[in-house]
């Protein structure tokens, strides 16, 4: 009986000693579980990604500021374009009115010109007849059997003078009407040409403004694209940094070989992800800075 108890006691002591040795070995192994150089590199990468994230946030703020500036400018351009379109419509209406006036005044001027021409022809006819009558009177007077005064009585010379005087009066009135019609026609034509020229200038300004709006909208679209890239980059960086810090904080709490190995593998995976961000981040940031510079914005 005593011998059996002693055997059991020896077995228990042996188990306790083995357990203590295993714990000592495990604790010692854990103390050397992670290479300090790996941890230093890991922490350096976390710091680098954090700095790049801060820079990306700064550039993102620049992008959003520039986007707000261009949006405000676009709104102003759209207001200007609306005013120009309204101006075009009024000018178009004015041109339509002037064209109708020109058409009517041209007809009136043509009518007055025709009357004036008819009166001039009538005067020329009467003047020719008057000259003929005068020649006839002179011929009559040269005849030996005639009396001079009877030659004049027999002619229509006096009547022609009266008719010519009447035509002269009508000619003066007709010429006045024609001159007035011509003056109104020319004035309206000049007004039409001035409105047409203004309409052309307004149309040119409208096209330029519309092009400026298109350019601004494209610039905003480009900025939105860069903003989206930076926001996604910042979000990914932030998530990874939190995960890395958590892994680093938990590294000191691992107490088994398996936990140690999992932690080391996790650190290596995180380190690779950190390096990927370090490699990609400058290009994304520089693209945004380059776009801002192209748009005349400085992100210093």
């Amino acid at each position: 009986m005593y011998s059996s108890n002693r055997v059991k006691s020896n077995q228990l002591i042996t188990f306790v000693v083995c357990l203590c040795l295993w714990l000592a070995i495990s604790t010692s192994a854990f103390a050397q579980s992670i290479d300090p150089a790996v941890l230093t590199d890991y922490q350096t990468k976390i710091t680098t990604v954090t700095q790049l994230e801060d820079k990306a946030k700064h550039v993102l703020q620049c992008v959003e500021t520039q986007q707000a500036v261009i949006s405000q400018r676009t709104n102003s351009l759209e207001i200007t374009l609306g005013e120009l379109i309204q101006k075009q419509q009024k000018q178009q209406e004015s041109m339509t009115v002037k064209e109708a006036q020109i058409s009517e005044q041209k007809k009136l001027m043509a009518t007055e010109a025709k009357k004036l021409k008819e009166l001039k022809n009538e005067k020329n006819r009467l003047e020719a007849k008057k000259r003929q009558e005068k020649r006839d009177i002179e011929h009559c007077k040269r005849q030996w059997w005639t009396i001079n005064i009877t030659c004049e009585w027999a002619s229509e010379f006096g009547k022609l003078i009266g008719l010519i005087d009447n035509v002269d009066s009508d000619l003066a009135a007709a010429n006045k009407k024609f001159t007035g019609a011509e003056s109104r026609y020319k004035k309206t034509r000049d007004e039409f040409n001035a409105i047409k020229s203004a309409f052309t200038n307004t149309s040119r300004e409208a096209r330029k403004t519309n092009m400026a709006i298109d350019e601004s909208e494209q610039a905003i679209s480009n900025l939105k694209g860069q903003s989206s890239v930076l926001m996604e980059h910042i979000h990914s960086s932030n998530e990874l940094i939190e995960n890395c810090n958590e892994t680093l904080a938990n590294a000191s709490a691992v107490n088994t070989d398996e936990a140690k190995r999992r932690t080391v593998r996790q650190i290596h995976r995180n380190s690779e992800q950190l390096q990927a961000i370090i490699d990609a981040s400058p290009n994304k940031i520089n693209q945004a800075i380059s776009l801002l510079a192209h748009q005349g914005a400085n992100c210093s």
Side-chain angles (χ1 to χ4, degrees):
M1 182 70 177
Y2 175 77
S3 177
S4 176
N5 289 336
R6 184 179 181 82
V7 171
K8 290 181 179 178
S9 177
N10 288 337
Q11 289 176 341
L12 179 61
I13 291 170
T14 301
F15 173 76
V16 171
V17 171
C18 290
L19 179 62
C20 290
L21 287 172
W22 180 82
L23 288 173
I25 292 170
S26 298
T27 303
S28 177
F30 172 68
Q32 300 176 6
S33 60
I34 303 175
D35 186 351
V38 172
L39 284 177
T40 299
D41 180 67
Y42 188 59
Q43 290 172 324
T44 299
K45 287 180 179 179
I46 292 174
T47 301
T48 302
V49 171
T50 302
Q51 292 171 345
L52 288 170
E53 181 185 343
D54 290 340
K55 186 173 182 180
K57 288 178 179 178
H58 173 67
V59 175
L60 176 60
Q61 185 177 8
C62 291
V63 168
E64 291 175 344
T65 299
Q66 179 67 1
Q67 188 174 327
V69 169
I70 296 179
S71 294
Q72 185 176 4
R73 186 171 66 203
T74 303
N75 292 337
S76 178
L77 287 169
E78 287 175 344
I79 292 172
T80 300
L81 180 61
E83 292 172 348
L84 288 170
I85 290 173
Q86 288 182 344
K87 190 175 181 180
Q88 275 183 304
Q89 291 173 343
K90 290 181 180 178
Q91 289 170 336
Q92 185 65 63
E93 292 170 359
S94 297
M95 282 195 296
T96 301
V97 171
K98 291 299 177 183
E99 281 180 320
Q101 291 176 349
I102 287 173
S103 179
E104 290 299 318
Q105 290 170 357
K106 195 172 183 179
K107 291 178 183 178
L108 179 60
M109 188 175 65
T111 300
E112 297 300 333
K114 183 180 179 181
K115 291 179 180 178
L116 186 60
K117 184 178 180 180
E118 289 174 349
L119 287 170
K120 286 181 177 178
N121 290 338
E122 177 63 11
K123 181 178 180 180
N124 290 336
R125 186 184 69 80
L126 292 174
E127 288 285 359
K129 190 173 182 180
K130 175 184 171 184
R131 289 192 295 273
Q132 184 59 47
E133 285 292 321
K134 189 173 183 180
R135 286 195 295 270
D136 290 345
I137 292 172
E138 292 299 324
H139 177 72
C140 176
K141 288 180 178 180
R142 287 196 295 270
Q143 304 303 316
W144 62 271
W145 65 83
T146 60
I147 301 175
N148 289 348
I149 194 169
T150 59
C151 291
E152 293 177 357
W153 287 349
S155 73
E156 296 182 356
F157 189 78
K159 181 181 178 181
L160 288 171
I161 291 175
L163 291 173
I164 290 172
D165 288 343
N166 291 336
V167 170
D168 282 338
S169 178
D170 292 341
L171 268 174
N175 188 63
K176 185 176 181 180
K177 287 183 179 181
F178 171 77
T179 302
E182 183 182 42
S183 177
R184 288 189 296 273
Y185 166 76
K186 289 181 178 179
K187 181 182 177 182
T188 305
R189 183 193 61 192
D190 292 343
E191 289 172 349
F192 171 81
N193 289 334
I195 296 171
K196 185 177 180 181
S197 177
F199 176 80
T200 300
N201 292 334
T202 304
S203 299
R204 186 183 301 112
E205 287 300 314
R207 287 194 298 273
K208 287 172 60 179
T209 304
N210 196 49
M211 288 176 61
I213 291 173
D214 290 342
E215 290 173 357
S216 294
E217 288 177 345
Q218 183 60 52
I220 290 173
S221 177
N222 293 339
L223 288 169
K224 284 182 177 179
Q226 290 297 322
S227 177
S228 178
V229 169
L230 289 173
M231 288 175 69
E232 183 179 355
H233 172 69
I234 291 168
H235 177 72
S236 299
S237 298
N238 190 54
E239 276 193 341
L240 181 57
I241 289 170
E242 288 181 359
N243 186 26
C244 290
N245 286 331
E246 183 180 354
T247 301
L248 196 60
N250 293 337
S252 60
V254 295
N255 52 16
T256 66
D257 286 344
E258 180 60 29
K260 177 198 70 174
R261 286 191 292 270
R262 285 199 304 270
T263 300
V264 171
R265 286 196 297 270
Q266 184 63 47
I267 286 176
H268 281 301
R269 284 196 296 269
N270 289 349
S271 183
E272 289 175 356
Q273 293 175 348
L274 287 167
Q275 188 60 52
I277 288 180
I278 291 170
D279 292 340
S281 182
N283 185 48
K284 294 177 180 179
I285 292 172
N286 290 334
Q287 280 182 346
I289 292 174
S290 177
L291 177 62
L292 289 168
H294 179 71
Q295 295 183 4
N298 181 23
C299 187
S300 56

